[in-house]
Amino acid sequence: SYTKLSSETDGIVSEVLADAGQVIGAGMPVCIVARSGDIEAEAYLPEKYASRIHLGDSAFVRISATGTAWNEATVREIAGMADPRTRTYRARVALNSAVDCRMGMSCEVAVMAPLSRQGVLVPPEAVCDGDTPHVWIVSNDLTATRRDILIEGVQDGKFIVSGLEAGRRVVVNGARFLVADGKVRLAPSENASR
């Protein structure tokens, strides 16, 4: 035990921090061992969202190299202090199921952060002025119907509105030129996804 180091768990040595023969002080790390079996993603949370994300919150991870599927995950750790250079908070997100990936692969992490106020995020181009703010909802037969809304605030360049259910399709381009029961045409990307 005086000259040999052993790990408490099975894993992979991901980084060696000392050279052979080097004198090491008490408590100084010699290597970093990544436990096998546990798959985590590391993400950096912007200041404005860090206070709204908590341990155990739901997240989704998409590994760039393996395809477009989003994998369910859970926030496992959030740094107590922001990085002094980037002003972001390091977070670790544990994947809930086995994923075909290798250590060090890049990924996208989406964490479900609640809005600062209650409502639905809507692009500003979709909101029409007039007597009262409103949007145009698109029905299955591509007919536009007016829906009055109340603007609760702004977040990330979008309006937080009440009076509109989440998941509704609204007109964004040309909303100001519509009339009641007018027909709309879907953008090419929308047609491809139907």
Side-chain angles (χ1 to χ4, degrees):
S1 64
Y2 182 74
T3 58
K4 292 181 180 178
L5 295 174
S6 60
S7 174
E8 297 174 352
T9 61
D10 293 339
I12 299 169
V13 175
S14 61
E15 190 174 355
V16 177
L17 305 171
D19 296 322
Q22 180 179 345
V23 178
I24 302 296
M28 184 175 169
V30 176
C31 63
I32 297 173
V33 177
R35 278 187 295 190
S36 57
D38 294 345
I39 300 174
E40 290 183 342
E42 187 174 80
Y44 292 86
L45 306 173
E47 281 181 313
K48 62 182 175 180
Y49 297 126
S51 63
R52 287 187 264 155
I53 297 172
H54 304 92
L55 298 182
D57 282 357
S58 295
F60 294 92
V61 176
R62 178 166 57 186
I63 313 295
S64 303
T66 60
T68 58
W70 286 94
N71 304 284
E72 291 186 12
T74 306
V75 177
R76 190 184 70 77
E77 179 185 314
I78 301 173
M81 189 172 91
D83 183 289
R85 287 176 291 135
T86 62
R87 305 307 308 159
T88 57
Y89 290 80
R90 183 179 59 78
R92 290 192 178 275
V93 177
L95 276 80
N96 296 346
S97 58
V99 177
D100 182 25
C101 68
R102 303 185 129 217
M103 284 196 315
M105 285 184 164
S106 60
C107 65
E108 293 176 68
V109 177
V111 181
M112 303 296 115
L115 296 174
S116 55
R117 297 183 183 178
Q118 292 300 314
V120 177
L121 288 178
V122 174
E125 299 84 8
V127 178
C128 301
D129 303 339
D131 48 352
T132 55
H134 60 277
V135 295
W136 292 94
I137 297 174
V138 180
S139 61
N140 290 336
D141 65 350
L142 302 181
T143 301
T145 307
R146 178 182 162 145
R147 173 73 59 87
D148 291 343
I149 56 166
L150 183 63
I151 298 174
E152 303 287 350
V154 178
Q155 180 174 313
D156 298 332
K158 295 182 179 178
F159 288 128
I160 303 172
V161 303
S162 58
L164 181 67
E165 303 85 20
R168 286 290 205 155
R169 185 182 292 166
V170 296
V171 176
V172 176
N173 295 328
R176 289 172 173 78
F177 303 108
L178 282 174
V179 293
D181 298 324
K183 289 287 189 180
V184 296
R185 207 173 44 224
L186 297 180
S189 61
E190 285 281 332
N191 282 320
S193 64
R194 287 189 88 194

